[in-house]
Amino acid sequence: MSPTQEASHSPSTAVSTGTDIHTSPQEPMNGKASNGHPPKGTNGATKTNWRRRSKYRHVEAYHSKIRHSSLSREPNVTASFLGFRNLMVIVLVAMNLRLIIENFMKYGVLICIRCHDYRRQDVVLGSALFALVPFHLYVSYLIELAAARQAKNILGQKKKDGSTEANESEQRIFKNTWWISAFFHCVNTLLSLGITSFVVYFYVHHPGIGTLCELQALIVSFKICSYAFTNRDLREAMLNPSVESALPEIYSACPYPNNITLGNLVYFWLAPTLVYQPVYPRSSHIRWSFVAKRLSEFFCLAVFIWLLSAQYAAPVLRNSIDKIAVMDIASILERVMKLSTISLIIWLAGFFALFQSLLNALAEVMRFGDREFYTDWWNSSSLGVYWRSWNRPVYLFMKRHVYSPLVGRGWHPLAASTVVFALSAVLHEVLVGIPTHNFIGVAFAGMMFQLPLIIITAPLEKIQDPTGKVIGNSIFWVSFCLVGQPLGALLYFFAWQAKYGSVSRM
Amino acid sequence: MSPTQEASHSPSTAVSTGTDIHTSPQEPMNGKASNGHPPKGTNGATKTNWRRRSKYRHVEAYHSKIRHSSLSREPNVTASFLGFRNLMVIVLVAMNLRLIIENFMKYGVLICIRCHDYRRQDVVLGSALFALVPFHLYVSYLIELAAARQAKNILGQKKKDGSTEANESEQRIFKNTWWISAFFHCVNTLLSLGITSFVVYFYVHHPGIGTLCELQALIVSFKICSYAFTNRDLREAMLNPSVESALPEIYSACPYPNNITLGNLVYFWLAPTLVYQPVYPRSSHIRWSFVAKRLSEFFCLAVFIWLLSAQYAAPVLRNSIDKIAVMDIASILERVMKLSTISLIIWLAGFFALFQSLLNALAEVMRFGDREFYTDWWNSSSLGVYWRSWNRPVYLFMKRHVYSPLVGRGWHPLAASTVVFALSAVLHEVLVGIPTHNFIGVAFAGMMFQLPLIIITAPLEKIQDPTGKVIGNSIFWVSFCLVGQPLGALLYFFAWQAKYGSVSRM
């Protein structure tokens, strides 16, 4: 490592070396630069001088200027933390892989295709309910058909009289018609919900079959309500044509009484919406490859959810029964946290399976154009944003047929919201409590608890600062992941176990 | 809910309601808009018409145009997933909180301030080594002082002769001086490293004290090498002033023989760098509040690391001994994964404590300007980028005094890199193996294993596509988090246990 040796070697070969190596020119050692000063001007450009410096490789000034550490909070220091995002994903995968190995070593394989306890009665009753509920929609069609006939008669009468405005007796007839049809619609809806709920609660033991039937009954009830309310307003608009009764432009393709057909109702029944419109935006054709992709997604996610539930959620739930029974708070907390990851994954997979895969497949088959079944609820900076964006079909129903009319009547928005959430709370309790045969009120309380949370987090929506949004989003996720899903699941599971002993033979 | 009731209430109050509510004008119901068509032109502006529509609240066309779901891969659909980043952070915190609770229920409190097994001999010997090692720097100062005197004599001779170039006998004298000084420097460095290593390996049982002494000896050895090499080149540049010997402009403040002072060396000894420069960029003044903040960060992180090690890392390590002993691969994998999170957190905290807090505090006290002790290694898209950015002091030393001179002599960059990593591997093994009294070669093998990883991941650096960067970054993190830290820690712990039984009385 003598300097002469180094100097004699470097000029000939250094040119072909790597990126952070300074090349030495093949010139004899002469010139008269003084020590410590770069010989400016001897060869013109500074760059050449800089290259000349490189003869003595041990003197390079690596510390040549003032610099800050990238994690210091100095001005002009901005660090990217994208790598830590990747790290988080990897750590999450690794932690869960570890839990999978741990679970396997502890329980072995818990998945068992033949181990189900469907009673024959459950399947028969469930299928019958599932098939019969849509007939309530047919009943509501008959009611609307009668009302439409009467309205047409009134309109014919008016045309004969030459008047454009309904007179007092016509108004009264219309009002009576609405009361009569509203009565029949109510009976119809209540029957639809009531029969299903009664049968499920008393005769369908299996909670899965019960939930499917109850869900179908709820959806059909929503559709009946929307069908009745919308046609009521359309009818009134037809009888009282005025500036104020102007209808959305899209409806002009099918003006009022023309929409009261069985085909139109069947489309509404099958369309992925709870809000009735005589006309919907339609896509031009069905992309069957799109349908196939969405359905295979749905199928894979369904299997995935089943595996997760059987192998991971079930043992955690079973292990937590003793702890809930003795009200050991620390242990319950530990169980809720352990359950929170798995219930979160199941929820996200279920959300994607239903709202992305299934509803998009259905919409594609029905050529239903508006696929906004959800917006980016995962970025919600408040609970209010979440409830407005995660389930658009129900949100739009509630907004159009509950919130907006109430506010239109002069209600305070908060009172109208309370009504919406109270209704939603009742329906959540119905949807969970009836199939599990336990009205413990947790789903109801959970939904009602949303209102104060929405009010508390509402100011966070308006903050422009990203930190405020992150705080709001974190509050949303914590209440959603920790308090919402796993605690509810744990309590209903405990109530079920208290009543029936064991959910399955596993 | 009769329509008349609704209509009679809405005009008077709807104006003062919420955001998504359409207000109804206080006008009588007249006009002659036809069904399904908005009455354009009756009142001029379209906006007015739109407001007029609102009388019938159940007919609003919520599905008015074709829209895609935000998770669909349709063109023009871009979704932000910022909320999921927040979710990941929350899930990580929750999972680790759960592990904390689980750990507490399993082991109770393992932290114990009085439970240490420092032998008196360890503390005495460690302190003595720590205090004596810097004297080797003083020896190297004496060597350089002698060499500088001789160089000044030669220069004086030349000035008398009036020649600017060194003649052959002067070159020979210079060469001999270098060989003599190089010999003494080598002896000095080897003594510094050798004495410390010998004492630590045979007489200092406690691995923590041993590591501190060994680290100090390594740092001083690095500084001696840099001091010797740099002054060799500065001396030669002084004796052969030429275009090629141009030195960095920053050195002009202190030309060669002036820098051989004890004060200059003491500054280099205490400065947070391993690369000797006669002059460093300096900050204008010491911000003592900055120093206090950095030191308190360091203190808090040190306590944090101690708590983590005692409460979380130690039980995992102890529980894994049986599994390593019987070579149960699945269990070892599970242990490595369990250890990976905790070792990652300890490593990150340690990195921040040393490279951000301690070195910045030291730099502030020394008014050392260049605080780039690391760059954003967490975004590394390849292993090569990581090794160039996480530990800049060592990287700069290796680049200036090993890699660059070798390449300057015509070595292939890959061969030079191999030398750097081989040297680094030896020093890693020294740093880990000597204090733990086990030369098992894992640290050496781990470092040598980096070379193929660097070569494999090098193409990923050049990919412009973000996916390539994410893949490279993920490979880096996985090799870093899973294979690097926890596996190494596990193996050295196992070797220690095999030799000594138990690391502490806990």
Side-chain angles (χ1 to χ4, degrees):
Chain A
M1 270 214 194
S2 85
T4 5
Q5 198 185 343
E6 186 181 321
S8 64
H9 275 266
S10 59
S12 55
T13 48
V15 183
S16 64
T17 51
T19 50
D20 48 3
I21 309 307
H22 319 304
T23 54
S24 306
Q26 274 185 310
E27 280 173 33
M29 295 186 211
N30 54 12
K32 45 177 186 170
S34 69
N35 236 348
H37 277 287
K40 274 185 190 162
T42 28
N43 242 329
T46 318
K47 202 187 170 190
T48 325
N49 290 339
W50 180 80
R51 282 173 164 260
R52 291 273 158 92
R53 265 189 226 159
S54 58
K55 191 195 155 198
Y56 301 112
R57 291 176 179 274
H58 296 288
V59 296
E60 195 69 46
Y62 285 165
H63 303 293
S64 55
K65 60 181 179 189
I66 290 185
R67 277 181 288 211
H68 295 296
S69 306
S70 47
L71 293 174
S72 286
R73 289 192 185 178
E74 305 279 350
N76 310 325
V77 173
T78 48
S80 152
F81 294 106
L82 217 62
F84 284 117
R85 187 204 59 186
N86 300 335
L87 174 64
M88 282 198 292
V89 175
I90 292 166
V91 170
L92 276 177
V93 169
M95 285 183 91
N96 285 295
L97 261 180
R98 194 187 72 75
L99 291 177
I100 287 171
I101 298 176
E102 197 183 73
N103 169 289
F104 177 76
M105 298 199 313
K106 207 163 166 187
Y107 302 111
V109 175
L110 293 178
I111 294 150
C112 165
I113 296 172
R114 286 154 183 271
C115 309
H116 47 71
D117 61 349
Y118 301 132
R119 297 180 188 170
R120 199 185 148 74
Q121 184 192 342
D122 289 3
V123 178
V124 172
L125 279 176
S127 309
L129 282 174
F130 209 83
L132 290 173
V133 160
F135 282 96
H136 291 276
L137 264 174
Y138 184 69
V139 173
S140 70
Y141 162 69
L142 293 179
I143 298 167
E144 284 304 318
L145 199 64
R149 289 234 169 104
Q150 202 208 20
K152 268 196 275 192
N153 288 342
I154 294 174
L155 208 67
Q157 200 74 35
K158 270 164 69 179
K159 269 191 183 150
K160 271 184 201 161
D161 305 351
S163 71
T164 52
E165 242 182 284
N167 60 31
E168 203 167 300
S169 90
E170 281 165 359
Q171 289 282 12
R172 209 187 57 241
I173 293 172
F174 175 81
K175 215 158 137 185
N176 287 339
T177 310
W178 165 239
W179 281 117
I180 294 163
S181 72
F183 172 76
F184 282 116
H185 278 306
C186 278
V187 170
N188 187 27
T189 312
L190 287 177
L191 273 181
S192 156
L193 258 185
I195 294 173
T196 303
S197 300
F198 179 82
V199 174
V200 166
Y201 193 83
F202 289 105
Y203 301 105
V204 178
H205 179 74
H206 195 275
I209 296 171
T211 304
L212 276 181
C213 293
E214 199 64 32
L215 194 64
Q216 157 95 330
L218 267 178
I219 290 171
V220 167
S221 304
F222 276 136
K223 293 201 183 207
I224 291 172
C225 290
S226 184
Y227 192 65
F229 281 124
T230 309
N231 280 318
R232 199 260 334 249
D233 273 12
L234 287 174
R235 197 160 54 241
E236 205 193 330
M238 182 185 71
L239 292 174
N240 301 296
S242 69
V243 179
E244 291 163 56
S245 70
L247 294 174
E249 212 160 348
I250 190 175
Y251 295 179
S252 60
C254 180
Y256 170 58
N258 299 356
N259 68 315
I260 308 295
T261 63
L262 208 52
N264 186 288
L265 180 62
V266 167
Y267 185 84
F268 174 53
W269 169 40
L270 296 173
T273 180
L274 299 175
V275 163
Y276 176 69
Q277 292 181 195
V279 184
Y280 293 101
R282 303 287 288 270
S283 56
S284 58
H285 63 283
I286 303 174
R287 294 169 295 172
W288 286 107
S289 66
F290 181 91
V291 176
K293 274 182 212 156
R294 295 295 85 76
L295 287 180
S296 55
E297 272 172 16
F298 180 78
F299 178 75
C300 293
L301 283 168
V303 171
F304 176 70
I305 291 171
W306 170 62
L307 293 179
L308 282 181
S309 310
Q311 184 73 39
Y312 303 104
V316 177
L317 285 170
R318 268 197 298 279
N319 291 342
S320 53
I321 292 173
D322 307 339
K323 276 125 190 180
I324 297 181
V326 297
M327 288 302 281
D328 176 356
I329 297 296
S331 302
I332 292 176
L333 192 68
E334 193 266 350
R335 287 289 96 181
V336 167
M337 281 171 141
K338 176 131 195 175
L339 201 58
S340 67
T341 320
I342 192 79
S343 74
L344 174 70
I345 295 171
I346 290 177
W347 197 93
L348 290 178
F351 169 82
F352 195 94
L354 279 181
F355 283 78
Q356 172 66 9
S357 304
L358 193 64
L359 289 190
N360 262 297
L362 184 59
E364 189 68 30
V365 170
M366 300 300 293
R367 300 204 293 108
F368 188 80
D370 186 358
R371 314 280 168 93
E372 204 184 54
F373 307 117
Y374 55 89
T375 55
D376 58 340
W377 56 265
W378 46 88
N379 297 327
S380 302
S381 58
S382 78
L383 269 294
V385 174
Y386 168 69
W387 287 108
R388 285 198 291 278
S389 52
W390 90 270
N391 186 339
R392 298 278 295 176
V394 168
Y395 164 70
L396 292 180
F397 176 89
M398 290 291 187
K399 182 177 163 194
R400 192 163 102 162
H401 299 302
V402 183
Y403 180 86
S404 186
L406 284 178
V407 171
R409 282 162 179 242
W411 287 48
H412 190 273
L414 190 61
S417 293
T418 311
V419 171
V420 167
F421 274 90
L423 182 60
S424 182
V426 170
L427 296 178
H428 269 84
E429 187 69 38
V430 163
L431 194 56
V432 181
I434 287 179
T436 58
H437 317 284
N438 271 302
F439 279 109
I440 57 173
V442 172
F444 180 85
M447 281 304 293
M448 290 313 285
F449 183 61
Q450 297 305 313
L451 266 176
L453 273 180
I454 288 171
I455 293 165
I456 291 167
T457 56
L460 293 167
E461 275 175 56
K462 277 135 201 160
I463 294 176
Q464 288 301 314
D465 179 46
T467 319
K469 291 221 182 299
V470 169
I471 294 171
N473 190 243
S474 302
I475 293 174
F476 151 66
W477 277 118
V478 169
S479 70
F480 174 85
C481 299
L482 295 187
V483 188
Q485 316 292 323
L487 195 64
L490 212 57
L491 292 172
Y492 277 95
F493 182 81
F494 182 70
W496 173 277
Q497 288 294 331
K499 198 163 175 180
Y500 297 102
S502 170
V503 66
S504 81
R505 281 190 285 269
M506 284 190 298
Chain B
M1 272 214 194
S2 85
T4 4
Q5 199 185 342
E6 187 182 319
S8 63
H9 275 266
S10 59
S12 54
T13 48
V15 182
S16 65
T17 52
T19 50
D20 49 2
I21 308 307
H22 320 303
T23 52
S24 307
Q26 274 184 310
E27 280 172 33
M29 296 185 212
N30 55 12
K32 45 177 187 171
S34 69
N35 236 348
H37 279 286
K40 275 185 188 161
T42 28
N43 242 329
T46 319
K47 202 187 170 190
T48 325
N49 289 340
W50 180 81
R51 284 174 163 259
R52 290 274 157 90
R53 263 189 226 158
S54 57
K55 191 195 156 198
Y56 301 112
R57 292 177 179 274
H58 298 287
V59 296
E60 195 69 46
Y62 286 166
H63 303 293
S64 55
K65 60 181 178 189
I66 289 185
R67 278 182 289 212
H68 295 297
S69 306
S70 46
L71 293 174
S72 286
R73 291 193 183 177
E74 303 279 349
N76 310 324
V77 173
T78 48
S80 152
F81 295 106
L82 217 62
F84 284 117
R85 187 205 58 185
N86 300 334
L87 174 64
M88 282 198 292
V89 175
I90 292 166
V91 169
L92 276 178
V93 170
M95 285 184 92
N96 285 295
L97 261 180
R98 195 188 70 75
L99 290 177
I100 288 171
I101 298 175
E102 197 183 75
N103 169 288
F104 176 77
M105 297 198 314
K106 207 165 166 186
Y107 302 111
V109 176
L110 292 180
I111 294 150
C112 166
I113 296 171
R114 287 155 181 270
C115 308
H116 46 71
D117 61 349
Y118 300 132
R119 296 181 188 170
R120 200 186 147 74
Q121 184 193 341
D122 290 2
V123 178
V124 172
L125 279 176
S127 309
L129 283 174
F130 208 83
L132 289 172
V133 161
F135 282 95
H136 290 278
L137 265 174
Y138 184 68
V139 173
S140 69
Y141 163 68
L142 294 179
I143 298 168
E144 283 304 317
L145 198 64
R149 289 233 170 106
Q150 202 208 22
K152 268 197 275 192
N153 288 342
I154 294 174
L155 208 66
Q157 199 74 34
K158 272 165 68 177
K159 269 189 184 150
K160 270 185 203 161
D161 305 351
S163 71
T164 52
E165 241 180 285
N167 60 31
E168 203 167 300
S169 90
E170 282 165 0
Q171 290 281 12
R172 210 188 55 241
I173 293 171
F174 175 80
K175 217 159 138 185
N176 286 340
T177 311
W178 164 240
W179 281 116
I180 294 161
S181 71
F183 172 75
F184 282 115
H185 278 308
C186 277
V187 170
N188 187 28
T189 313
L190 287 177
L191 274 180
S192 156
L193 259 185
I195 294 173
T196 304
S197 299
F198 179 82
V199 174
V200 167
Y201 192 82
F202 288 105
Y203 299 105
V204 178
H205 178 75
H206 194 275
I209 295 171
T211 303
L212 277 180
C213 293
E214 200 63 33
L215 196 63
Q216 157 95 331
L218 267 179
I219 290 170
V220 167
S221 305
F222 275 136
K223 292 201 183 208
I224 291 173
C225 290
S226 185
Y227 192 65
F229 279 125
T230 310
N231 281 318
R232 200 265 325 255
D233 273 11
L234 288 174
R235 198 159 53 239
E236 204 193 331
M238 182 185 71
L239 292 173
N240 301 295
S242 70
V243 179
E244 290 163 56
S245 70
L247 294 174
E249 209 159 350
I250 190 174
Y251 295 178
S252 59
C254 181
Y256 170 58
N258 300 355
N259 69 315
I260 307 295
T261 64
L262 208 52
N264 185 288
L265 180 62
V266 167
Y267 185 83
F268 174 52
W269 169 39
L270 296 174
T273 179
L274 298 176
V275 163
Y276 176 69
Q277 292 182 194
V279 185
Y280 292 102
R282 303 286 289 269
S283 56
S284 58
H285 62 285
I286 303 174
R287 294 169 295 172
W288 287 106
S289 65
F290 181 91
V291 176
K293 274 183 213 156
R294 295 295 85 76
L295 287 181
S296 55
E297 273 172 15
F298 180 78
F299 179 76
C300 293
L301 283 169
V303 171
F304 177 70
I305 290 171
W306 171 62
L307 293 179
L308 282 181
S309 309
Q311 184 74 37
Y312 304 104
V316 177
L317 284 170
R318 270 198 296 280
N319 290 343
S320 54
I321 291 173
D322 307 339
K323 276 126 190 180
I324 297 182
V326 298
M327 288 301 281
D328 177 354
I329 296 296
S331 302
I332 292 176
L333 191 68
E334 194 267 350
R335 286 289 97 181
V336 168
M337 280 171 140
K338 176 132 195 175
L339 201 58
S340 67
T341 321
I342 191 80
S343 74
L344 174 70
I345 295 170
I346 290 178
W347 198 93
L348 289 178
F351 169 81
F352 196 94
L354 279 181
F355 282 79
Q356 171 66 11
S357 305
L358 194 64
L359 289 190
N360 263 297
L362 185 59
E364 189 69 30
V365 170
M366 301 299 293
R367 301 205 292 106
F368 188 80
D370 186 358
R371 314 280 168 91
E372 204 184 56
F373 307 116
Y374 55 89
T375 54
D376 59 340
W377 56 265
W378 46 86
N379 298 327
S380 302
S381 58
S382 77
L383 269 293
V385 173
Y386 168 69
W387 287 108
R388 285 198 291 278
S389 52
W390 90 271
N391 185 339
R392 297 279 295 176
V394 168
Y395 164 70
L396 292 180
F397 177 88
M398 291 292 187
K399 183 177 160 192
R400 191 163 103 163
H401 298 302
V402 183
Y403 180 86
S404 186
L406 285 179
V407 170
R409 282 163 179 242
W411 287 48
H412 190 273
L414 190 61
S417 294
T418 310
V419 171
V420 168
F421 273 90
L423 181 60
S424 182
V426 169
L427 296 178
H428 269 85
E429 186 69 38
V430 163
L431 194 57
V432 181
I434 286 178
T436 57
H437 316 285
N438 272 302
F439 279 110
I440 57 174
V442 171
F444 180 85
M447 281 304 294
M448 291 312 286
F449 183 59
Q450 297 305 314
L451 266 174
L453 273 179
I454 288 171
I455 293 165
I456 291 167
T457 57
L460 292 167
E461 275 176 55
K462 277 135 202 161
I463 294 176
Q464 289 300 315
D465 179 46
T467 319
K469 291 221 182 300
V470 168
I471 293 171
N473 191 242
S474 302
I475 293 174
F476 151 66
W477 277 118
V478 169
S479 71
F480 174 85
C481 299
L482 295 186
V483 187
Q485 317 291 323
L487 195 63
L490 213 58
L491 292 172
Y492 278 96
F493 183 81
F494 182 69
W496 173 278
Q497 289 294 332
K499 197 163 176 180
Y500 297 102
S502 170
V503 66
S504 81
R505 282 190 283 268
M506 286 190 296

